[in-house]
DNA sequence: TCCATAACGGGACTCCTGTTCCATTTGCTG
DNA sequence: CAGCAAATGGAACAGGAGTCCCGTTATGGA
């Protein structure tokens, strides 16, 4: 009577298991970028990954489960952050990074699909939240430095400022057909700085 | 040889056809609010609406097509706007309206599903864009009045300001698990005002 | 190196989504 | 109010997504 509840892939995570996971996650990303969330089919992903259909169903169970795993994988690979010494420039760099990501054909489609998946399943939503939490955490220091330099009020919430930079870009990305250009990215950084300076993001406000 | 390309429901839009459309759209809204976009099944919607499954497939064809129709229907029913004479108060009212909508269990789930559907299909995305365009258009006047009063720079883009109010709320709604409260709504209004005053949303900026 | 078994892969099977056909109902027009 | 055809609805059908079974492969530990 062993532990039968152990998820497949957790007892022997190395070798073939790891290769299969990498291939499937890659294939899932490709499929989402090409067809979007709705047309996603686990059998097709298995074919792309040159892996048995049964394996995909056994290890991930559903499309949303697979996306959740993909998101935890994405959260682990972090991107380098700039460090210019100026809050506005740092936030502009962040905004342009987001803008480039969402504008890129493959990445943009991928993010759309991932967001769609997260709205359909609680576990996937948690994975998405964690992904953005790590991204926000990575960029928070540049706000903290601005606070230390006296550019911003003492009790400014760094996370809120970083989120304020991304928010307009994602909002445009999802709810308008206007294209996201660099000027838009710069505006969102400027807006975040203006609001932060005005003390909107202080914790006690 | 008549016009065979005419979509079903367009030649005799009255009577039964209209009743069927209303029943199906209502059922679609219910289904989306309950199960989310992924578990959406046209046969189930037909059952809820007490309508033949064939009818739903013939008139709307797919889940995304149905959502697109639902969105044009939603865009037509407009909500009343406040008129307080103060930009900040107007925008706070707008922000709280959005916050209440997204927080409401049924409406919130519905919007999640609708956004998910829009990421999967170009036609549905267009319908979603038009929906937000009309909403933004409705609220733009209060920004224009603020410009007229001299509260904001001359060439401020009113649409951008309204979008700036909603953006943080939607961003939180989709990418974090933090709950949307009135304080958050007020902050987004304050941030929009601060940025607008700083001239971030002027057209030539 | 060798063994126990975790993990994979193929194929058959089931159920459900979406399509097609045709009879019936019911708007619209004269 | 009468008739034509638009629109609906039921039933049968087809195709594909997801499950199950069991033999095969190869991992991790001794």
């Amino acid at each position: 009577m062993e532990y039968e509840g152990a998820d497949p892939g957790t007892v022997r995570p190395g070798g073939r298991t790891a290769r299969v996971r990498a291939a499937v996650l890659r294939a899932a990303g490709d499929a989402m970028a090409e067809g979007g969330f709705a047309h996603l089919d686990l059998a097709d992903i298995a074919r792309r990954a040159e892996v048995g259909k049964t394996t995909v169903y056994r290890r991930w169970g559903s499309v949303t489960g697979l996306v959740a795993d993909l998101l935890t994988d994405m959260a682990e690979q972090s991107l380098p952050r700039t460090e210019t010494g100026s809050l506005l420039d740092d936030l502009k760099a962040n905004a342009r990074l987001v803008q480039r990501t969402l504008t890129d054909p493959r990445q943009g489609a991928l993010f759309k699909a991932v967001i769609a998946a997260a709205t359909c399943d609680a576990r996937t939503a948690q994975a998405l939240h964690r992904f953005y939490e790590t991204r926000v955490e990575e960029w928070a220091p540049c706000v903290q430095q601005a606070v230390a330099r006296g550019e911003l009020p003492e009790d400014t919430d760094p996370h809120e400022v970083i989120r304020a930079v991304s928010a307009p870009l994602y909002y445009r990305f999802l709810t308008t057909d206007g294209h996201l250009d660099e000027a838009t990215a710069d505006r969102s950084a400027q807006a975040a700085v203006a609001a932060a300076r005005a003390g909107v993001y202080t914790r006690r406000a």
Side-chain angles (χ1 to χ4, degrees), chain A:
Chain A
M1 195 73 77
E2 309 294 331
Y3 288 156
E4 297 180 355
D7 290 323
T10 56
V11 178
R12 288 180 185 173
R16 179 168 63 170
T17 300
R19 279 197 303 277
V20 165
R21 177 167 184 255
V24 169
L25 291 187
R26 175 176 195 81
D30 291 345
M32 292 175 91
E34 284 176 29
F37 172 66
H39 317 99
L40 222 47
D41 167 23
L42 293 196
D44 174 53
I45 291 175
R47 222 172 299 127
R48 288 167 184 260
E50 296 180 327
V51 153
K53 184 177 68 160
T54 314
T55 301
V56 178
Y57 277 104
R58 183 173 32 229
R59 281 189 56 185
W60 290 280
S62 66
V63 171
T64 52
L66 178 53
V67 176
D69 195 22
L70 180 64
L71 277 165
T72 59
D73 190 68
M74 285 168 67
E76 280 164 13
Q77 350 173 331
S78 87
L79 293 174
R81 167 174 63 92
T82 59
E83 189 95 29
T84 64
S86 148
L87 176 64
L88 182 58
D89 287 342
D90 283 345
L91 294 187
K92 272 186 181 173
N94 180 19
R96 289 200 178 189
L97 181 65
V98 172
Q99 177 253 326
R100 278 199 305 274
T101 303
L102 297 183
T103 304
D104 177 75
R106 183 194 149 86
Q107 297 266 306
L110 180 61
F111 271 84
K112 270 188 183 155
V114 159
I115 291 170
T119 66
C120 298
D121 177 72
R123 188 179 300 268
T124 311
Q126 274 197 349
L128 185 72
H129 299 161
R130 241 174 262 128
F131 170 78
Y132 283 107
E133 214 174 300
T134 59
R135 283 287 179 273
V136 169
E137 195 80 42
E138 280 173 358
W139 284 84
C142 72
V143 178
Q144 287 164 335
Q145 286 164 16
V147 172
R149 286 193 301 264
E151 276 193 65
L152 296 180
E154 194 60 48
D155 52 354
T156 298
D157 182 347
H159 290 200
E160 273 300 294
V161 179
I162 298 298
R163 278 196 284 263
V165 174
S166 284
L169 302 175
Y170 275 90
Y171 186 73
R172 281 186 84 95
F173 179 60
L174 292 172
T175 69
T176 76
D177 47 7
H179 52 290
L180 236 47
D181 53 12
E182 297 194 336
T184 309
D186 289 350
R187 258 207 309 278
S188 79
Q190 287 163 2
V193 171
R197 284 228 181 87
V200 175
Y201 301 123
T202 52
R203 288 199 179 82
R204 66 191 64 165

